[in-house]
């Protein structure tokens, strides 16, 4: 029977609810391979990460800045009520401002580069 | 001058307000063969336009497959620029093209962008209107019956398979048999039908050779037809996504004029290649293949396209969009999958037969198998007068054709029918790019069906026809103008016509 990536991710999350266990993961991979769905592993991993973060109230936040700015990072962590520090990426090409990405899907783009592009559009 | 520009820029910059808002994006995780799979984009709409941020700039795409955990995007731009990890943003609008009157006389691609090297279509951002490429067809209440003829300039078609404005008439036949020639003649003929408004003609080339499209454009320009025509080209070297989109883009352009109360004619050349392009995209998107590997909704692809051709009622502007789709058959097989699909959708078909073509009957229209479901509702009274007997005479001739070689052993009435059939068959032959105005067709066919040409050798019929037409233009233009204006062959004009035919015959035999 064919299972979707979502079902595999939910099953793995349930199997690991008591914590990480190497044997469980190994068995899981063996089951996926036996079902002929090994090519779905990247998608299963992505879905698992989303479900894992959601179950624990985590949000994976990435902040792109033109230069190091601990004060800005602190402000973001406080305003978004994050349990952990956001990941920081230094990208000089954005010129200034910041780009905040939440869970890889929601983007708030306040970079100078994008604003200049919109100005000249 | 530069000071003014600087001041203007300063004002724009100081007044600029940028909105920062959260938007949902996706990332490319797989790309190949013109299709990419995207993670994220959880609120993307079906057929929504998306922008892929590549290192070489933005590349457009359409979200065609909305799956449980990913989105299948068909890339409209250069797929080689797209790499794994690139961010994909939704545009918030379903695929639409900017259309306007400025497109008339131009050659555009499937995205409505000019490709004829004559500069941008629109002078400013405010010109033109965005029309959705996918749109629901006009409903029953908004339509009215087809009642205005669309003359193709081809005698066999205008007489026996008449097309009306708002109709869908399929042109079907094998390769290299004259399908596109009929379509081009129809476009060229529109400027000769001055008793009605000239419809805007849209020629959609799907999967054609670029040399063929260039030849068609050159021919239309030479005949003065480009001034009311638009060419939408998605050639064989273009991506399957563009070949899939081109007919819909052409239809959106046609609807722009239809919604303004004007008439438009659209030719899809050809829908067989369109079906192949859609099959390719569907297979790459891993949609389940059905019969002949076509996706399950291949019928819906063509039905929703062709249903958008309509004649609108006066309350809705009275405009019309006439569609002439073309289908290429293999070895005359009209019972194949795609041909039968499109035959069942359209309001009739013009079937071109290879046997007739090789016998020298060109256009090779098989009158027996061709039909127009609109029929004489789209014919002028003058044409109805001559066409009724034409079909019957030809049908009788077809039955007797086997006896042609035994002509000396037959009774007089049979011989007469055979001669009449041969004369009419010769009369219906026509060269490419030489459409004949309908009033000339009426007088010529009148002479044919009433036996005036029975005494002329079959090999001389074409020559006589030309001389007769020229004589009528020079000496009896009033008859032609009366037929053109009223659409009828009144009794007085008919008498004049009879005298004219006799006179031409007398002169013809005198000068031989």
């Amino acid at each position: 029977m064919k299972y979707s990536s979502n079902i595999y991710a939910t099953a793995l999350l349930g199997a690991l609810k008591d914590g990480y266990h190497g044997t469980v993961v190994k068995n899981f991979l063996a089951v996926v391979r036996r079902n002929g769905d090994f090519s779905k592993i990247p998608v299963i991993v992505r879905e698992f990460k989303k479900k894992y973060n959601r179950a624990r109230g985590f949000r994976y936040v990435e902040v792109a800045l033109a230069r190091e700015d601990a004060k800005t990072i602190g402000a973001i962590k406080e305003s978004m009520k994050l349990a952990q520090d956001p990941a920081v990426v230094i990208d000089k090409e954005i010129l200034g401002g910041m780009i905040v990405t939440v869970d890889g899907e929601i983007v708030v783009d306040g970079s100078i580069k994008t604003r200049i592009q919109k100005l000249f559009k | 001058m530069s000071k003014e520009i600087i001041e203007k820029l300063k004002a724009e910059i100081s007044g600029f307000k940028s909105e920062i808002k959260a938007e949902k994006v996706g990332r490319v995780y797989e790309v190949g063969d013109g299709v990419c799979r995207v993670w994220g984009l959880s609120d993307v709409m079906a057929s929504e336009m998306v922008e892929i941020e590549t290192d070489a700039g933005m590349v457009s795409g359409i979200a065609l497959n909305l799956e449980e955990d990913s989105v299948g995007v068909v890339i409209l731009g250069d797929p080689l620029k797209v790499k794994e990890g690139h961010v994909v943003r939704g545009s918030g609008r379903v695929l639409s093209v900017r259309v306007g009157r400025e497109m008339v006389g131009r050659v555009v691609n499937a995205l409505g962008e000019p490709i004829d090297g004559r500069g941008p279509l629109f002078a400013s951002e405010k010109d033109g209107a965005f029309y959705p490429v996918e749109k629901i067809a006009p409903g029953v209440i908004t339509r009215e019956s087809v009642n205005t003829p669309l003359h193709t300039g081809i005698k066999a078609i205008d007489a026996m398979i008449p097309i009306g404005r708002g109709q869908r008439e399929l042109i079907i036949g094998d390769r290299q048999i004259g399908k596109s020639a009929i379509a081009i003649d129809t476009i060229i003929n529109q400027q000769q039908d001055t008793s009605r408004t000239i419809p805007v003609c849209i020629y959609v080339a799907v999967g054609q050779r670029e040399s063929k499209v260039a030849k068609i454009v050159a021919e239309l320009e030479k005949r003065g037809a480009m001034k009311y025509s638009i060419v939408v080209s998605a050639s064989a070297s273009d991506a399957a996504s563009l070949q899939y989109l081109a007919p819909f883009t052409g239809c959106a352009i046609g609807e722009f004029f239809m919604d303004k109360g004007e008439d438009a004619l659209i030719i899809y050349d050809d829908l067989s290649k369109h079906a192949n392009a859609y099959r390719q995209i569907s297979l790459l998107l891993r949609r389940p293949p059905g019969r002949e590997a076509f996706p399950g909704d291949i019928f819906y692809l063509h039905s929703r396209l062709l249903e958008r051709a309509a004649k609108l009622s006066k309350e809705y502007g009275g405009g019309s969009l006439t569609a002439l789709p073309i289908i290429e058959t293999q070895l005359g097989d009209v019972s194949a999958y795609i041909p039968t699909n499109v035959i069942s959708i359209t309001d009739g078909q013009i079937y071109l037969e290879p046997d007739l073509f090789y016998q020298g009957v060109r256009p090779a229209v098989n009158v027996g198998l061709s039909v127009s479901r609109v029929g004489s509702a789209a014919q002028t009274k003058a044409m109805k007068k001559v066409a009724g007997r034409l079909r019957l005479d030809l049908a009788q001739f077809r039955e007797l054709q086997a006896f042609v070689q035994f002509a000396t052993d037959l009774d007089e009435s049979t011989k007469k029918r055979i001669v009449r059939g041969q004369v009419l068959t010769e009369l219906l032959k026509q060269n490419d790019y030489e459409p004949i105005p309908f009033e000339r067709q009426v007088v010529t066919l009148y002479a044919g069906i009433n036996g005036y040409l029975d005494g002329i050798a079959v090999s001389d019929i074409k020559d006589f026809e030309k001389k007769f037409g020229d004589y009528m233009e020079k000496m009896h233009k009033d008859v032609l103008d009366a037929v053109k204006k009223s659409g009828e062959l009144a009794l007085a004009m008919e008498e004049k016509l009879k005298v004219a035919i006799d006179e031409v015959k007398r002169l013809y035999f005198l000068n031989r």
Side-chain angles (χ1 to χ4, degrees), chain B residues 483-502:
Chain B
V483 172
K484 185 195 249 187
K485 195 173 169 190
S486 65
E488 283 184 56
L489 186 59
L491 229 56
M493 290 297 137
E494 195 177 340
E495 293 307 315
K496 274 191 178 179
L497 178 58
K498 285 178 186 172
V499 167
I501 297 170
D502 285 333

Side-chain angles (χ1 to χ4, degrees), chain B residues 221-393:
Chain B
E221 267 174 4
K222 185 175 150 192
R223 310 276 170 179
M226 267 313 277
K227 57 180 186 286
Y228 53 86
S229 305
I230 301 166
V231 174
V232 180
S233 174
S235 68
S237 58
D238 284 332
S241 52
L242 294 175
Q243 293 184 35
Y244 155 69
L245 273 184
F248 293 101
T249 300
C251 196
I253 298 171
E255 281 172 333
F256 170 77
F257 293 99
M258 180 171 71
D259 290 346
K260 289 198 172 316
E262 295 176 36
D263 294 328
L265 164 68
I266 185 163
I267 291 152
Y268 302 110
D269 191 1
D270 58 65
L271 290 187
S272 309
K273 292 189 181 63
H274 183 234
N276 291 345
Y278 187 58
R279 175 172 59 185
Q280 180 178 327
I281 293 170
S282 299
L283 289 172
L284 288 168
L285 288 171
R286 306 283 175 93
R287 291 180 177 178
R291 179 177 166 184
E292 292 179 29
F294 286 105
D297 62 345
I298 192 70
F299 183 95
Y300 182 52
L301 173 76
H302 290 146
S303 65
R304 71 179 188 266
L305 173 68
L306 294 172
E307 275 297 306
R308 288 160 73 177
K311 169 93 180 105
L312 298 181
S313 63
K314 287 186 183 44
E315 291 80 41
Y316 290 87
S320 70
L321 178 60
T322 310
L324 296 182
I326 294 176
I327 285 279
E328 184 177 294
T329 51
Q330 303 297 324
L331 297 173
D333 184 14
V334 291
S335 61
Y337 189 27
I338 302 300
T340 47
N341 274 358
V342 183
I343 286 170
S344 65
I345 294 167
T346 52
D347 304 318
Q349 65 273 353
I350 298 167
Y351 178 50
L352 301 175
E353 202 171 40
D355 288 345
L356 289 173
F357 186 85
Y358 296 124
Q359 283 170 27
V361 178
R362 296 171 199 183
V365 178
N366 183 325
V367 180
L369 291 178
S370 303
V371 73
S372 165
R373 299 186 209 200
V374 165
S376 58
Q379 244 179 355
T380 55
K381 283 188 178 154
M383 190 59 92
K384 267 187 240 190
K385 201 167 184 174
V386 300
R389 284 198 26 212
L390 178 62
R391 214 181 235 281
L392 189 63
D393 288 349

Side-chain angles (χ1 to χ4, degrees), chain A residues 4-6 42-43 46-47 105-110 115 118-119, chain B residues 13 16 18-25 39-40 42 68-69 89:
Chain A
S4 69
S5 313
N6 199 18
V43 186
R46 187 172 174 273
E47 289 296 313
E105 281 190 22
I106 301 170
V107 167
V108 182
D109 190 344
R115 281 197 251 181
K118 280 183 187 167
L119 175 66
Chain B
I13 291 168
F16 176 72
S18 78
E19 268 180 30
I20 299 174
K21 52 183 181 188
E23 49 181 344
K24 286 196 176 171
V25 300
W39 277 332
S42 50
E68 196 181 353
D69 46 27
R89 293 173 198 274

